[in-house]
Amino acid sequence: MPHNTKYVFVTGGVTSSLGKGIISASLAKLLQSRGYSVTIQKLDPYINVDPGTLNPYEHGECYVTEDGAETDLDLGHYERFINLPTTQANNVTTGRIYQSVINKERKGEYLGKTVQVIPHITDEIKGRIKLLGTKHKYDVVITEIGGTVGDIESLPYIESVRQLRWELGPTNSVFIHLTLVPYLAASGELKTKPTQHSVKVLLENGIQPDVLVLRTEKTLNEELRRKVALFCNVDSESVVESIDVKTIYEVPLLMLKEKLDLTVLKKLNLPVGNEPDLDSWNQFIAKLKNPKKTIKIGLVGKYVELPDAYKSIVESIIHAGASNECKVDLITIHSETICDSTLEEKLGDLKGIIVAPGFGHRGVEGKINAVKYAREKGIPFLGICLGMQCAVIEFARNVLGLSDANSTEMVRSTQNPVIDLMESQKGIIDKGGTMRLGAYLCVVKKGSKAAQAYHKPEIQERHRHRYEFNNAFLDQFEKAGMVATGTNPETGLVEIMEIAKHPWFVGVQFHPEYKSSVVNPHPLFVNFVKAALDFNK
Ligand code: GLN
């Protein structure tokens, strides 16, 4: 019998940033906890082929999957909630859709037909949505459509979903629309009109939503729910309240209370499954809400004006804090503001310092200053990707005495290129999708801080970089006390650098933050926070 995958489509109306990603991830979590296999996909209406070429100020962090896709940060939420890896297929952009349609046209695959948005672009979109069901055989595929309904650029997606619903037939898909119910303080009222208008836009596009999730700052009463149900043609149980909460991790519990999972299962004609098993989730929330201590950790980066630029790091620290039963006050510090005269003021009261990933020379010297401070004062330090590279440069300059040491990314002509372009990167001109991306193996040295954290000799971590530690300098580093404690067994690339004599000083070429989830807080972050707590004593 063919596998009958069911599809859930999630759109947003009224305004952006209502939390479609979190609602999708929460629903997935609940369905998963009832025993269903679920995945979540994000359709992004922009023309970039992937967000890899976007400045973090545009859409926040670029999230990287195991198989090396550079994706929207919502995929990070999906993985953190359902603790399962996503893949290339989980993020689709308009750029990718057009690229593949145009490639097919060039190959003559359309047999002389005029290539058009309908049916060619929409067919390509539908194919990408169905692929997760047919190839990976999930019970439920949740597809989140980026942007806000009514946007010109999301029209082909809305049309594709309209067609798919028709093709799939009743009970095989559910359409969830997320809107905002604003509270007008002057009149003391919650307003439903924006929701009505937003549903009208969907109706104009041929879609009747099945479930409405209403984002609100105040509780919705029965009368308001009935009114929305009546005006938007949905049953009352399909009007779901999504009230503001302190942490996104409470949203699955709210959705459980609102029976979003049961409503969706009923509409998909699926059995309710097991009683949701949310024990570990609840334990996490309990620890998160009842910390025994508070600790201040600094995140040094150059995109700090936009908190989403370091989303996965911030979430990893939240997971690690909860795991250590402590609240981490994560202070972001702009690396361009860190110089000799500001060191004490900016970093003086921190119990741990993270130096963030990044590209280009802006802010690098400030990061190097922060590393020096952490190294000299014995403050627990975690350097991630560029952060690790800065740690290497700092050590070369201030311990090995190679005063002009640098990365060739910053100064091409440096006499001491302690960080240099990877061999495999030489000759690459295209920027998009050409970095060392995705999961690679790393062998961890016994007795190191990394080994203490991971408790295993081999790990897989995700990468996104072009430059690497220059092995020509390795001897010099190791003799002076900075040791490669993680290396790629196939290429010899250095993956982890540590200062053995320091209480906790770990630089990683990879991005551990992409693999931390609620039920599996990342061991490096957990031990880093633990070290910061010890430093605090
Ligand atoms: N710019 C550095 C490189 O490409 C570091 C990248 C990063 O921090 N993700 O190697």
Side-chain angles (χ1 to χ4, degrees):
M1 215 180 86
H3 187 84
N4 187 15
T5 300
K6 307 267 183 170
Y7 294 85
V8 177
F9 305 113
V10 181
T11 53
V14 183
T15 166
S16 57
S17 304
L18 289 181
K20 289 193 296 285
I22 301 298
I23 292 295
S24 304
S26 299
L27 174 62
K29 176 77 205 164
L30 295 179
L31 297 180
Q32 186 189 49
S33 73
R34 286 186 180 276
Y36 287 99
S37 69
V38 192
T39 194
I40 319 169
Q41 178 185 46
K42 173 88 190 275
L43 306 181
D44 275 313
Y46 49 70
I47 301 185
N48 302 66
V49 172
D50 60 44
T53 52
L54 288 171
N55 185 315
Y57 288 128
E58 293 286 313
H59 293 278
E61 162 190 281
C62 171
Y63 185 78
V64 178
T65 61
E66 286 290 291
D67 64 351
E70 295 178 281
T71 72
D72 183 77
L73 58 73
D74 269 328
L75 274 80
H77 289 309
Y78 306 162
E79 291 202 12
R80 288 188 282 273
F81 274 57
I82 64 175
N83 197 37
L84 284 176
T86 51
T87 65
Q88 297 272 358
N90 291 73
N91 193 193
V92 174
T93 68
T94 296
R96 198 173 285 285
I97 295 287
Y98 270 80
Q99 191 180 49
S100 99
V101 168
I102 291 169
N103 286 345
K104 285 183 191 164
E105 185 273 338
R106 292 288 82 186
K107 285 190 194 146
E109 288 183 22
Y110 296 114
L111 304 175
K113 287 276 182 214
T114 307
V115 180
Q116 295 179 292
V117 172
I118 302 170
H120 303 102
I121 295 295
T122 47
D123 279 354
E124 187 71 31
I125 294 172
K126 286 189 288 179
R128 302 283 178 137
I129 297 173
K130 284 191 291 190
L131 185 72
L132 283 169
T134 49
K135 189 167 161 208
H136 302 280
K137 311 247 179 303
Y138 289 103
D139 298 327
V140 181
V141 173
I142 300 175
T143 296
E144 177 195 346
I145 301 173
T148 309
V149 294
D151 294 349
I152 291 175
E153 52 185 17
S154 55
L155 278 174
Y157 292 104
I158 301 289
E159 168 60 12
S160 304
V161 168
R162 185 196 68 73
Q163 292 179 15
L164 250 187
R165 275 164 76 74
W166 183 82
E167 287 169 20
L168 292 166
T171 74
N172 284 322
S173 72
V174 162
F175 202 104
I176 299 176
H177 189 52
L178 178 61
T179 70
L180 176 71
V181 176
Y183 176 71
L184 292 193
S187 59
E189 280 177 303
L190 287 163
K191 291 296 187 186
T192 64
K193 194 70 86 185
T195 298
Q196 296 175 42
H197 279 293
S198 182
V199 170
K200 215 178 249 173
V201 174
L202 275 177
L203 287 169
E204 280 166 13
N205 289 303
I207 289 173
Q208 166 64 53
D210 303 300
V211 179
L212 295 173
V213 176
L214 309 184
R215 183 75 189 268
T216 174
E217 42 181 300
K218 303 237 182 262
T219 311
L220 309 176
N221 61 29
E222 277 311 311
E223 194 193 329
L224 187 142
R225 288 185 193 235
R226 256 201 313 277
K227 184 174 167 189
V228 170
L230 176 66
F231 290 161
C232 300
N233 317 313
V234 296
D235 35 59
S236 298
E237 64 178 11
S238 300
V239 179
V240 171
E241 171 188 288
S242 171
I243 199 158
D244 293 355
V245 268
K246 282 217 172 71
T247 145
I248 53 170
Y249 297 113
E250 280 182 82
V251 179
L253 306 178
L254 283 185
M255 292 303 113
L256 181 69
K257 227 161 82 197
E258 287 286 305
K259 301 192 171 67
L260 175 63
D261 52 338
L262 292 178
T263 303
V264 166
L265 288 172
K266 190 166 149 195
K267 290 188 186 299
L268 293 174
N269 205 13
L270 287 172
V272 297
N274 316 327
E275 253 325 286
D277 172 11
L278 293 166
D279 284 356
S280 48
W281 196 273
N282 283 321
Q283 279 163 18
F284 165 78
I285 301 271
K287 283 188 187 170
L288 190 65
K289 288 184 138 180
N290 304 295
K292 298 201 171 115
K293 309 144 257 193
T294 301
I295 189 173
K296 223 184 211 185
I297 286 180
L299 171 62
V300 178
K302 67 172 170 179
Y303 306 113
V304 294
E305 301 89 336
L306 185 77
D308 273 1
Y310 300 113
K311 194 77 197 160
S312 293
I313 296 178
V314 172
E315 298 304 323
S316 300
I317 283 290
I318 291 174
H319 306 157
S323 154
N324 280 288
E325 294 184 75
C326 90
K327 176 178 183 306
V328 179
D329 268 341
L330 190 67
I331 315 292
T332 49
I333 303 146
H334 203 303
S335 54
E336 283 182 301
T337 65
I338 304 178
C339 56
D340 282 348
S341 61
T342 60
L343 274 174
E344 279 303 325
E345 172 210 333
K346 299 274 175 196
L347 312 174
D349 60 348
L350 300 176
K351 308 301 176 198
I353 294 178
I354 302 174
V355 174
F359 294 85
H361 68 270
R362 184 171 70 91
V364 164
E365 291 303 320
K367 286 183 173 177
I368 294 171
N369 291 335
V371 175
K372 180 166 186 270
Y373 190 82
R375 181 178 59 77
E376 289 179 346
K377 303 265 179 199
I379 304 170
F381 167 84
L382 177 59
I384 303 176
C385 207
L386 181 63
M388 173 265 203
Q389 298 176 356
C390 287
V392 166
I393 298 168
E394 193 280 324
F395 196 84
R397 287 185 191 170
N398 301 319
V399 179
L400 303 182
L402 310 173
S403 59
D404 86 326
N406 219 323
S407 163
T408 50
E409 180 182 7
M410 316 306 159
V411 177
R412 206 169 284 180
S413 59
T414 173
Q415 293 301 301
N416 290 293
V418 288
I419 303 292
D420 201 5
L421 197 60
M422 278 180 279
E423 205 43 49
S424 56
Q425 287 288 321
K426 295 184 179 156
I428 291 179
I429 297 164
D430 281 355
K431 289 273 182 278
T434 56
M435 281 186 257
R436 180 182 185 223
L437 291 168
Y440 285 90
L441 207 59
C442 168
V443 174
V444 181
K445 198 172 197 152
K446 265 196 192 141
S448 62
K449 299 284 187 320
Q452 281 166 17
Y454 285 104
H455 290 299
K456 51 183 176 187
E458 274 194 358
I459 54 164
Q460 291 252 13
E461 291 284 4
R462 302 184 197 171
H463 294 252
R464 181 170 187 254
H465 62 116
R466 294 184 201 283
Y467 292 80
E468 58 161 326
F469 177 80
N470 183 345
N471 273 324
F473 291 87
L474 187 57
D475 254 8
Q476 242 177 302
F477 273 80
E478 296 206 320
K479 280 191 187 117
M482 188 184 249
V483 185
T485 59
T487 40
N488 180 299
E490 281 131 34
T491 56
L493 289 180
V494 169
E495 305 283 22
I496 311 175
M497 284 298 248
E498 294 184 21
I499 296 178
K501 288 232 173 77
H502 188 284
W504 209 92
F505 189 104
V506 179
V508 289
Q509 184 56 79
F510 48 77
H511 292 261
E513 70 274 22
Y514 295 145
K515 283 181 81 163
S516 187
S517 71
V518 167
V519 297
N520 251 334
H522 195 287
L524 272 185
F525 282 95
V526 171
N527 276 22
F528 167 64
V529 170
K530 208 176 274 164
L533 282 165
D534 288 342
F535 183 76
N536 205 15
K537 276 176 192 157

